[in-house]
Amino acid sequence: AIIRTPYIDRAGTHAGRIAKWLLRGPRTKHWMRACYSLQSIWRLKQTAVQGVNYRTCYQAGKSVEGISEIEPVAAIVAEYAGALRGLP
């Protein structure tokens, strides 16, 4: 689960036909995942050599889609403290 950025749009996130077929197999999916892991390590090394900022790819959980606004921490803490004051 990654956040869509221009870098991700250029790199792509879809598996090819052969990869999809291998990922469906109970025995071959492990090999395909290992291949993806090795590929990501290689790409990480390449970006370090090329000087690309590692912050071009952001990871997030699947629940990040439900976020509609970002609030300051102070407002959240104040709201929480106010809720605590109202408890018996």
Side-chain angles (χ1 to χ4, degrees):
I2 54 176
I3 297 174
R4 187 175 178 185
T5 62
Y7 172 77
I8 296 302
D9 288 339
R10 286 191 311 273
T13 58
H14 297 288
R17 289 181 184 177
I18 296 172
K20 285 181 184 179
W21 178 70
L22 290 171
L23 286 168
R24 282 190 216 122
R27 294 182 184 166
T28 57
K29 66 182 174 185
H30 304 293
W31 290 103
M32 195 62 221
R33 288 179 185 162
C35 180
Y36 277 143
S37 295
L38 291 173
Q39 185 180 29
S40 70
I41 291 169
W42 183 78
R43 282 188 179 175
L44 182 63
K45 286 184 180 180
Q46 291 299 316
T47 57
V49 169
Q50 296 170 357
V52 175
N53 190 345
Y54 68 91
R55 292 185 176 106
T56 56
C57 179
Y58 300 98
Q59 295 184 349
K62 294 186 185 259
S63 61
V64 75
E65 186 177 15
I67 297 173
S68 59
E69 61 182 310
I70 299 173
E71 296 183 33
V73 173
I76 295 169
V77 170
E79 185 178 332
Y80 181 72
L84 287 177
R85 279 188 224 115
L87 292 175

